[in-house]
């Protein structure tokens, strides 16, 4: 199998490339990534010299480039996206350009080349806040943020390419991922790195929002199985079926590091902040026999250990990245006002 993986220099994409290259039947992985602030080739240093791996810097919305690359593969796995909800609140435009237009450019190239599979990586956030129970794959979509709305739009466009053109598209909707190499603007890496530095932990609202935490390697395994056994035209939820509220998670973190709860700083809530995400994962279990292997009780302490041991990875991002600093200055100014 020859794959075009987009957004492979980001958090989940880099884990997926490592995962898929460990399979001997994979002949080629082309990683197309624009290297935005969130993309780091360092995340893939261990596979950079693999002769079945090739990196191309570029934009998924660049039609001619995408067409050229698509001719060399039989499958696309589309991770490339703008992914941070708070950034989408500050400026939605890049979310529409990459997540919606970029996805359509990939789909069109895949259609013209009659690719064997197109996996669209999506999120539980498209269902919106779930007051009770758990969203099944056929639940209506109520995205709350420009980020989740752009992902919902991409899901619909991807599925329309199946219905209208017969392109074998699969849409996956995953819960919040955690694991090594996650950019320290997202909740867990932000709070772990801040706690390690004795910096305040900005908890939104009352801290009772609920998220499911899925280990990134479990997510990658689910995608690999769906590549082989998923049914075209279908949506698959990928989650754990277990929610945790943010405040409880922060308390576990602080206990683990032996830090005071005084570091918790309750700040103004995120506008449109979804209270609870929850998905049913019965379909993927039944159809491809996937279930998560790493539970949060062991995965979270391991993650804290990883950030403790990999300061060389995140310290330069925190201290040197101009994009990171600019974003945080704006973010904190908004919350204080
Ligand atoms: P990330 O922000 O860590 O990485 C995104 C990558 O995409 C970066 O390497 C970036 O350079 C690249 N990129 C951005 N715009 C691009 C463009 N126009 N062309 C080419 N490359 C571009 O993201 P992530 O957390 O690894 O998420 C990957 C995918 O998984 C996204 O589609 C996201 O919506 C989805 N997802 C993420 C989570 C999560 O918890 N992180 C949960 C469910 C679904
Ligand atoms: P985040 O990692 O942004 O993911 P999501 O896309 O699910 O919103 O945030 C996870 C949860 O943590 C969410 O309820 C918002 C909350 N959060 C904070 O309380 N403070 C923060 O600084 C961040 C980034 C997130």
């Amino acid at each position: 199998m020859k794959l075009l993986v987009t957004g492979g220099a980001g958090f989940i994409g880099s884990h997926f490339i490592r995962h898929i290259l460990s399979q001997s039947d994979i002949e080629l992985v082309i990683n197309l990534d624009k290297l935005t602030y969130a993309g780091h080739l360092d995340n893939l240093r261990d596979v950079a010299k693999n002769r079945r791996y090739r990196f191309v810097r570029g934009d998924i919305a660049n039609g001619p480039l995408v067409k050229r690359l698509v001719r060399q593969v039989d499958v696309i796995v589309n991770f490339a996206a703008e992914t941070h909800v708070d950034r989408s609140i500050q400026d939605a435009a890049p979310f529409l350009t990459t997540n919606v237009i970029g996805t359509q450019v990939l789909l069109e190239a895949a259609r013209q080349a009659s690719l064997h599979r197109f996996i669209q990586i999506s999120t539980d956030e498209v269902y919106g806040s779930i007051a009770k129970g758990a969203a099944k794959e056929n639940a209506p979509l109520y995205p709350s943020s420009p980020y989740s709305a752009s992902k919902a739009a991409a899901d619909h466009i991807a599925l329309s390419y199946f219905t209208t053109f017969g392109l074998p598209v699969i849409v996956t909707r995953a819960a919040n991922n955690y694991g090594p190499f996650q950019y320290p603007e997202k909740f867990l890496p932000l709070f772990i790195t801040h706690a390690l530095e004795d910096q305040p932990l900005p908890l939104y609202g009352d801290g009772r929002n609920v998220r499911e935490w899925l280990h990134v390697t479990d997510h990658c395994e689910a995608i690999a199985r769906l590549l082989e056994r998923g049914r075209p035209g279908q949506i698959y939820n990928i989650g754990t079926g277990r929610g945790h509220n943010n405040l409880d998670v922060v308390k576990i973190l602080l206990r683990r590091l032996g830090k005071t709860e005084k570091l918790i700083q309750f700040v103004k809530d995120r506008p449109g902040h979804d209270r609870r995400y929850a998905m049913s994962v019965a379909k993927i279990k039944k159809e491809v026999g996937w279930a998560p292997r790493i539970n949060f009780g062991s995965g979270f302490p391991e993650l804290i250990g990883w950030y403790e041991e990999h300061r060389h990875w995140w310290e330069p991002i925190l201290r040197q990245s101009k994009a990171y600093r600019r974003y945080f200055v704006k973010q904190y100014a908004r919350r204080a006002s």
Side-chain angles (χ1 to χ4, degrees), residues 16-24 26-29 44 47 50 52-53:
F16 179 74
I17 288 178
R18 198 173 296 109
H19 185 93
I20 208 76
L21 280 172
S22 70
Q23 297 183 7
S24 54
I26 300 299
E27 295 162 73
L28 174 68
V29 175
L44 280 168
V47 301
N50 189 314
R52 294 176 295 145
Y53 168 76

Side-chain angles (χ1 to χ4, degrees), residues 17-184:
I17 288 178
R18 198 173 296 109
H19 185 93
I20 208 76
L21 280 172
S22 70
Q23 297 183 7
S24 54
D25 59 332
I26 300 299
E27 295 162 73
L28 174 68
V29 175
I30 302 176
N31 173 12
L32 171 62
D33 197 297
K34 188 176 172 182
L35 296 184
T36 67
Y37 77 94
H40 294 267
L41 286 178
D42 236 19
N43 298 0
L44 280 168
R45 196 185 289 189
D46 51 331
V47 301
K49 294 213 169 101
N50 189 314
R51 53 181 181 76
R52 294 176 295 145
Y53 168 76
R54 192 143 68 79
F55 173 69
V56 176
R57 185 172 190 176
D59 194 323
I60 58 166
N62 177 343
L65 170 66
V66 164
K67 259 193 195 169
R68 215 166 47 243
L69 297 177
V70 164
R71 274 190 227 117
Q72 304 167 48
V73 299
D74 29 56
V75 166
I76 294 180
V77 186
N78 181 27
F79 292 93
E82 289 292 337
T83 61
H84 192 39
V85 172
D86 293 315
R87 285 182 190 260
S88 80
I89 296 167
Q90 284 182 8
D91 181 7
F95 287 75
L96 297 196
T97 312
T98 288
N99 302 2
V100 185
I101 303 295
T103 300
Q104 188 272 332
V105 168
L106 290 170
L107 285 161
E108 188 52 33
R111 177 182 82 80
Q112 287 176 18
S114 304
L115 287 201
H116 169 70
R117 276 289 180 281
F118 187 108
I119 312 272
Q120 172 63 10
I121 305 297
S122 185
T123 164
D124 58 359
E125 303 198 22
V126 297
Y127 296 117
S129 204
I130 306 293
K132 266 197 260 151
K136 288 190 183 158
E137 286 81 352
N138 60 2
L141 306 188
Y142 292 107
S144 305
S145 68
Y147 162 65
S148 53
S150 69
K151 294 297 289 185
D155 288 13
H156 285 311
I157 292 163
L159 290 167
S160 80
Y161 267 70
F162 171 75
T163 309
T164 305
F165 304 114
L167 182 70
V169 168
I170 290 173
V171 171
T172 65
R173 294 186 179 144
N176 284 66
N177 279 223
Y178 71 99
F181 299 110
Q182 187 170 29
Y183 194 81

Side-chain angles (χ1 to χ4, degrees), residues 241-291:
R242 213 172 145 221
H244 299 266
N245 85 51
N246 294 340
L247 183 59
D248 289 346
V249 170
V250 177
K251 286 183 177 167
I252 296 171
L253 166 66
L254 292 172
R255 255 200 318 277
R256 185 87 197 171
L257 290 176
K259 305 272 181 177
T260 168
E261 288 189 9
K262 288 189 186 139
L263 284 178
I264 301 174
Q265 188 180 43
F266 288 92
V267 297
K268 202 159 106 187
D269 209 356
R270 169 191 279 171
H273 193 179
D274 285 326
R275 190 66 172 169
R276 174 175 176 265
Y277 294 139
M279 287 185 296
S280 160
V281 286
K283 181 172 174 178
I284 190 169
K285 279 191 181 160
K286 185 165 169 234
E287 290 196 15
V288 304
W290 174 89

